[in-house]
Amino acid sequence: MKLLNLVVASLLALTVFGGASSFAADSISQMRNADILTEDTAPRMPKVVNSDERQVRNYPEQPPLIPHKIDGYQIDKRLNKCMTCHDRRAIEQSQAPMISITHFMNRDNQFLASVSPRRYFCTQCHVPQTEAKPLVENTFVDIDDVLKGETKK
């Protein structure tokens, strides 16, 4: 009897879960672009903007974008390549902007002599800009444009 129950439970599980997996695969394939799945090569990576010009920020607390390539930059617990130019002692020679004073504050807002460990890994917030087309439509409106529109009414 136990063997019969086991066989019935196994067949039931195969029927239910087998159908569910094919249903999930069908629904996922409908969400994907079918052309992408048949291509042999991946799309090319977009080029990194390497202008060394500061980018305009879209909102007040936005971290600045990195205006140059950072390929091969070592950023780990032993070395931070960004600091060779953006450190307080290096900016006169490099002419790069110094990192924000907030990067020297600990979580209790007390100033430290060196960069805070929580702000040491630059690429957690700062990213290079690429020459990529947007993947989705963007309807973002800058606050200055919003204010200009309100004053005209």
Side-chain angles (χ1 to χ4, degrees):
M1 191 68 184
K2 287 183 182 180
L3 181 62
L4 180 63
N5 287 340
L6 182 63
V7 170
V8 170
S10 299
L11 289 173
L12 182 62
L14 282 172
T15 304
V16 170
F17 293 119
S21 64
S22 67
F23 172 75
D26 291 342
S27 63
I28 289 173
S29 66
Q30 291 173 358
M31 290 188 276
R32 293 182 175 162
N33 184 349
D35 296 340
I36 293 174
L37 298 176
T38 59
E39 292 178 8
D40 290 337
T41 59
R44 291 198 171 274
M45 294 290 291
K47 292 183 179 179
V48 174
V49 174
N50 200 26
S51 65
D52 280 340
E53 294 177 9
R54 289 187 189 183
Q55 303 287 323
V56 177
R57 297 186 200 187
N58 293 315
Y59 53 93
E61 298 298 321
Q62 177 186 354
L65 296 171
I66 301 171
H68 56 81
K69 292 182 180 182
I70 59 168
D71 298 342
Y73 274 36
Q74 181 178 349
I75 302 174
D76 57 30
K77 65 181 183 178
R78 292 187 184 87
L79 179 72
N80 183 331
K81 176 69 173 163
C82 302
M83 299 308 289
T84 58
C85 296
H86 295 279
D87 187 60
R88 179 178 47 84
R89 295 174 297 270
I91 58 170
E92 186 176 341
Q93 178 70 26
S94 68
Q95 295 298 303
M98 186 181 96
I99 60 172
S100 171
I101 194 70
T102 59
H103 289 53
F104 291 91
M105 296 168 64
N106 66 10
R107 72 173 104 189
D108 298 322
N109 293 331
Q110 295 177 338
F111 287 98
L112 306 172
S114 60
V115 176
S116 172
R118 68 185 186 136
R119 298 288 190 106
Y120 184 78
F121 296 98
C122 308
T123 52
Q124 284 180 307
C125 301
H126 304 280
V127 295
Q129 184 68 40
T130 62
E131 297 175 355
K133 293 185 289 186
L135 297 174
V136 294
E137 183 181 345
N138 184 355
T139 59
F140 176 82
V141 179
D142 187 74
I143 188 64
D144 293 331
D145 295 335
V146 171
L147 293 174
K148 287 178 189 175
E150 289 181 1
T151 58
K152 290 179 182 179
K153 287 184 179 179

